[in-house]
Amino acid sequence: MKRWYANPYVIVVTAISLMGIAVSSLLFLLVPQPGEILATMQRRMTQVKTFHVEADVHWRGAAGASGGASGGAPEDAEYVLAGSYDRTDPAALQGDGTFTLTTGGASAMTFSGRHLSLSGAGAASSVQFLKFDRTPDRVGALHLAEHRGTWLRADIASLARLTALPLIGSPVAPMNATARAGLDEDFARTPFLSFVSGLKTEKLGGVECNHYQVRPEPLLLKDFFFAHEQARLGREPTAKERQAADTFFADLAPQDGEIWIGKRDGLPHRLRFRFAFDDGARRGTLDVTADLSAYGAPVRISAPDGTVEDITPLLASILASLQEHLPLAKEGSANRVTTGTGGGLGLPVPDTFSPGSEDPDHDGLSNALEAFYGTDPANPDTDGDGMNDGDEIKANRNPAGPGVLFDFTGGRFQ
């Protein structure tokens, strides 16, 4: 009697089935898993030279003595950016984009315009150019109307020499290729995102993308922050700087995240993240969305032609006041060196960055700063309160009247 399993048909079908199982298992092992795709994406990002981005960062919350969503002054601030960026020079990131910043909730203030960032190749140092199409006439004690429609220049390297803020930003000195390569390697091998679940595959701008729900990892983000700061400052962060960063990241909690990764190029084409923040005095949510495209496309970025007004001294004059309200900058230092006979700020800003630096009333404010703060260039005590105008600014007081320069207790400039 012939056995059923000796039937040639059964043998062929069984062999095909077993082969199918083997091939399927092999393909499963060869197909990249989500964790590998996320890791590959980060490594690919370090190799990107040029790209285009459209981003939206939106903060909603409340701040004040009572804090929390049910108490304190409501806050609503949104920043929208669209531009192209070039990192052909590994030690620099150059960019050209438009931006809109809206803040203040019901009494919203809007700033919009164009932003150029030049550093490394083609620039002596890290320089930012801004041209505002729209600003309020005034923000608290600051007079902004005269700066609309004109290219404004800020020398970041010069500002960095005036302060030591523990914040990610332009390096104190141009970052060398070795330091930048080290940061790229840290970025490529650090799993900033963990896989939660796979979502429906989608097309974005004609690109087929894998869509995943992911979760940001704050502790690993903090580790990279410290690595970046060490490379930027050329030293280890101090104990106080570490404590400030530890506190900030402890107050930051990821709530949700999504990412779209191109099937062929392995690069991110859309990101969406939401974070909750609560430090006891300020509480709210931060939503971040970014669409990325045009990887490897040519980008031409050049400094603006025509009249450019240097605002480095203006920014230098408000560093100390702003520093008090930056979560990671409270342990930094804004160096103030009193010079001359007039007292006041005495900012050690090079003359080349201070056109129109005359100070006829010897209050420590150049004529340009007098116009910015709305003070009288011929009167060292504009509001007659017995305190020198420059000393008032140094103390975060309004030199042209009562009140302070910056009051963030209500979540906005007062």
Side-chain angles (χ1 to χ4, degrees), residues 96-180:
D96 182 354
T98 59
F99 67 91
T100 300
L101 170 65
T102 305
T103 182
S107 53
M109 299 182 294
T110 299
F111 305 78
S112 65
R114 187 177 167 202
H115 172 248
L116 291 174
S117 176
L118 297 174
S119 55
S125 59
S126 180
V127 181
Q128 307 292 319
F129 294 93
L130 287 172
K131 183 164 70 172
F132 289 102
D133 301 322
R134 182 180 178 186
T135 66
D137 288 342
R138 291 179 59 180
V139 176
L142 310 182
H143 293 239
L144 304 178
E146 66 183 65
H147 297 295
R148 284 197 296 263
T150 301
W151 278 108
L152 309 173
R153 174 186 184 274
D155 190 284
I156 302 303
S158 177
L159 291 171
R161 288 192 291 270
L162 299 178
T163 184
L165 299 181
L167 287 167
I168 287 182
S170 296
V172 174
M175 203 177 290
N176 61 43
T178 301
R180 175 59 66 183

Side-chain angles (χ1 to χ4, degrees), residues 18-87:
L18 291 174
M19 187 178 296
I21 293 172
V23 170
S24 298
S25 300
L26 182 60
L27 288 176
F28 180 79
L29 293 173
L30 294 177
V31 171
Q33 299 304 296
E36 295 173 351
I37 292 174
L38 292 175
T40 300
M41 175 202 69
Q42 289 184 199
R43 182 164 294 280
R44 292 294 309 278
M45 288 176 67
T46 64
Q47 299 166 357
V48 167
K49 301 302 182 184
T50 61
F51 61 95
H52 181 83
V53 63
E54 296 180 14
D56 186 304
V57 180
H58 199 165
W59 164 264
R60 301 176 184 88
S66 56
S70 59
E75 296 181 324
D76 194 309
E78 184 173 19
Y79 182 74
V80 179
L81 168 72
S84 296
Y85 295 86
D86 185 346
R87 224 193 77 171

Side-chain angles (χ1 to χ4, degrees), residues 14-323:
T14 302
I16 291 175
S17 300
L18 291 174
M19 187 178 296
I21 293 172
V23 170
S24 298
S25 300
L26 182 60
L27 288 176
F28 180 79
L29 293 173
L30 294 177
V31 171
Q33 299 304 296
E36 295 173 351
I37 292 174
L38 292 175
T40 300
M41 175 202 69
Q42 289 184 199
R43 182 164 294 280
R44 292 294 309 278
M45 288 176 67
T46 64
Q47 299 166 357
V48 167
K49 301 302 182 184
T50 61
F51 61 95
H52 181 83
V53 63
E54 296 180 14
D56 186 304
V57 180
H58 199 165
W59 164 264
R60 301 176 184 88
S66 56
S70 59
E75 296 181 324
D76 194 309
E78 184 173 19
Y79 182 74
V80 179
L81 168 72
S84 296
Y85 295 86
D86 185 346
R87 224 193 77 171
T88 304
D89 179 353
L93 175 66
Q94 302 185 90
D96 182 354
T98 59
F99 67 91
T100 300
L101 170 65
T102 305
T103 182
S107 53
M109 299 182 294
T110 299
F111 305 78
S112 65
R114 187 177 167 202
H115 172 248
L116 291 174
S117 176
L118 297 174
S119 55
S125 59
S126 180
V127 181
Q128 307 292 319
F129 294 93
L130 287 172
K131 183 164 70 172
F132 289 102
D133 301 322
R134 182 180 178 186
T135 66
D137 288 342
R138 291 179 59 180
V139 176
L142 310 182
H143 293 239
L144 304 178
E146 66 183 65
H147 297 295
R148 284 197 296 263
T150 301
W151 278 108
L152 309 173
R153 174 186 184 274
D155 190 284
I156 302 303
S158 177
L159 291 171
R161 288 192 291 270
L162 299 178
T163 184
L165 299 181
L167 287 167
I168 287 182
S170 296
V172 174
M175 203 177 290
N176 61 43
T178 301
R180 175 59 66 183
L183 284 178
D184 283 349
E185 183 60 30
D186 280 349
F187 182 87
R189 70 187 182 196
T190 304
F192 295 115
L193 303 175
S194 58
F195 174 77
V196 176
S197 65
L199 302 173
K200 185 179 179 181
T201 299
E202 295 183 39
K203 268 192 175 183
L204 298 177
V207 177
E208 193 80 15
C209 293
N210 292 311
H211 183 190
Y212 302 109
Q213 183 180 3
V214 294
R215 179 180 176 83
E217 298 294 341
L219 292 179
L220 297 176
L221 288 170
K222 182 180 71 173
D223 289 342
F224 183 73
F225 171 86
F226 284 131
H228 189 286
E229 286 305 276
Q230 182 174 348
R232 182 179 75 90
L233 298 172
R235 60 170 174 79
E236 286 275 356
T238 66
K240 289 185 177 180
E241 290 170 350
R242 283 187 173 276
Q243 182 179 6
D246 285 340
T247 300
F248 174 80
F249 281 99
D251 296 333
L252 190 69
Q255 290 188 323
D256 194 14
E258 294 177 76
I259 190 166
W260 288 255
I261 301 175
K263 282 189 171 183
R264 291 192 175 185
D265 60 19
L267 291 166
H269 287 264
R270 179 175 292 169
L271 312 166
R272 283 182 186 163
F273 300 111
R274 168 171 286 191
F275 298 88
F277 181 81
D278 184 0
D279 66 355
R282 171 173 277 110
R283 178 183 300 169
T285 57
L286 182 70
D287 291 287
V288 180
T289 302
D291 285 276
L292 298 105
S293 60
Y295 288 109
V299 174
R300 176 184 170 86
I301 301 171
S302 56
D305 296 326
T307 303
V308 178
E309 178 185 351
D310 194 283
I311 59 169
T312 306
L314 305 185
L315 296 178
S317 72
I318 64 177
L319 276 176
S321 299
L322 285 175
Q323 177 178 291

Side-chain angles (χ1 to χ4, degrees), residues 354-379:
S354 306
S357 59
E358 301 85 1
D359 182 13
D361 59 0
H362 303 292
D363 60 359
L365 301 180
S366 68
N367 287 344
L369 287 172
E370 301 268 13
F372 185 59
Y373 289 110
T375 52
D376 184 351
N379 183 356

